[in-house]
Amino acid sequence: MVLPASLRMLARVLVVATATLAVSCGNSDDGARITVGAGDSVESSVLAEIYAGALARVGARTSVAPHLGSRSDYLAALDAGRIDLIGEHNGALLAYLDAKNAERAPDKVPTALSMSLPEGLVVSDAADGTDLRPRVVLSTEAATHDNVRTIGDLTPRCETLTLGVAPIPDLITLPPVLEQVAGCHFAATVSFPDAAALRKALLDGQVQAGLLTGPPAAVPGSTDGLTMLSDADYAIRTENVLPLFRKGVLDDRQIKKLNYVAGELTTDELAKLIRDVRDSGANPAEVARKWLDDHSL
């Protein structure tokens, strides 16, 4: 039987529609795309790629939005919904959101941070193995002579000392308040352009104490001839890496994956990833992929 022209046309339309539906079902999206943001630091870029890669491995559709600027810029992007997740430091984020909050210890900061978060934003587990706090350093000669091993040992002497402060580059920026050492009121503070200049000043006796704004592992050799003081009492607020994200964007399985990442990431590993990108020109996505592979994530 020969179909009328109108029926033949309808049949062709139905065939095309059926084929299109089959293709669509075969390539269905597992939910909306999750956009992970990155600020301007190397650390932020590396964390964004780690989080995006980890989420992709549990079936999420992810993308990375790079070079979003400073903390105020990327938090604005998060608030506006242009990104869904960003890597942060718990102490720095608390200081930014609530400058008057005095909590410093790792068992207190998470609760204080949760109470300070704007409506609609949440965090998952912090990476306890990451310690991104500033470090107080002395020349080894001075530390040995005065028997100073901890910040507590230094505290009674602070008012007679000049403190030199130097940045550790390529880390997520700390608010200025976090460059202070609780209980220490130094006679004077001098800024240096980098860790090498501060090291020289300490060894030459130009300053008597130094503060590096992050872990020296990010700049190898920065503490040669120096002694880093321990800080078990958290005179400097805890700084652990954690993801900050919009409420309702991630499901339980995705949050669990990020918690696995938190359980594996360490200071030394993160410092190496940063150095690989900064010093060797490695692609952040590639170093993140390898790190995830190495940890079976």
Side-chain angles (χ1 to χ4, degrees):
M1 182 179 70
V2 179
L3 291 173
S6 60
L7 290 179
R8 291 199 301 273
M9 177 63 72
L10 176 60
R12 286 197 294 270
V13 169
L14 289 174
V15 168
V16 171
T18 302
T20 301
L21 180 60
V23 171
S24 175
C25 290
N27 295 280
S28 62
D29 296 334
D30 293 326
R33 182 179 298 276
I34 297 169
T35 302
V36 183
D40 288 342
S41 69
V42 175
E43 181 194 354
S44 189
S45 296
V46 168
L47 290 176
E49 295 292 352
I50 287 175
Y51 292 144
L55 292 171
R57 294 182 183 205
V58 289
R61 298 171 61 242
T62 64
S63 62
V64 172
H67 310 302
L68 293 179
S70 65
R71 178 171 284 108
S72 60
D73 297 321
Y74 59 67
L75 290 183
L78 192 63
D79 181 63
R82 296 194 299 274
I83 61 172
D84 301 301
L85 183 150
I86 189 108
E88 256 290 4
H89 295 175
N90 53 6
L93 185 58
L94 175 59
Y96 182 84
L97 296 173
D98 184 3
K100 295 182 179 180
N101 193 292
E103 298 292 0
R104 302 190 306 273
D107 60 336
K108 302 292 186 182
V109 166
T111 300
L113 176 58
S114 293
M115 294 176 63
S116 300
L117 288 173
E119 182 69 25
L121 296 182
V122 292
V123 296
S124 57
D125 288 355
D128 293 336
T130 59
D131 183 356
L132 284 297
R133 284 181 291 171
R135 305 297 205 272
V136 176
V137 292
L138 304 180
S139 72
T140 297
E141 180 182 358
T144 301
H145 181 271
D146 296 332
N147 194 29
V148 176
R149 291 290 179 268
T150 70
I151 292 180
D153 294 337
L154 186 70
T155 299
R157 309 166 187 258
C158 289
E159 62 184 14
T160 67
L161 306 177
T162 296
L163 177 73
V165 179
I168 294 293
D170 305 308
L171 301 181
I172 294 173
T173 304
L174 302 181
V177 66
L178 295 188
E179 294 180 2
Q180 299 175 9
V181 182
C184 269
H185 303 285
F186 292 96
T189 301
V190 179
S191 295
F192 290 89
D194 53 40
L198 174 59
R199 175 176 172 271
K200 183 178 185 303
L202 283 165
L203 295 177
D204 291 346
Q206 298 174 32
V207 295
Q208 294 78 50
L211 183 73
L212 297 168
T213 63
V219 185
S222 57
T223 57
D224 290 351
L226 306 181
T227 293
M228 187 164 56
L229 303 187
S230 63
D231 184 23
D233 294 328
Y234 288 87
I236 298 175
R237 179 179 272 164
T238 187
E239 291 293 334
N240 302 115
V241 168
L242 82 174
L244 171 69
F245 51 95
R246 298 173 62 221
K247 186 181 295 184
V249 166
L250 304 183
D251 61 29
D252 289 344
R253 185 173 62 150
Q254 292 162 349
I255 293 173
K256 187 175 182 180
K257 189 70 169 182
L258 294 182
N259 290 342
Y260 285 147
V261 169
E264 295 291 326
L265 192 61
T266 68
T267 305
D268 287 345
E269 288 177 329
L270 181 56
K272 183 182 184 304
L273 298 179
I274 291 169
R275 296 196 312 267
D276 287 345
V277 174
R278 180 191 65 210
D279 302 334
S280 302
N283 186 308
E286 286 302 311
V287 301
R289 179 194 58 75
K290 184 177 186 306
W291 184 85
L292 290 166
D293 287 345
D294 290 345
H295 290 266
S296 301
L297 292 169

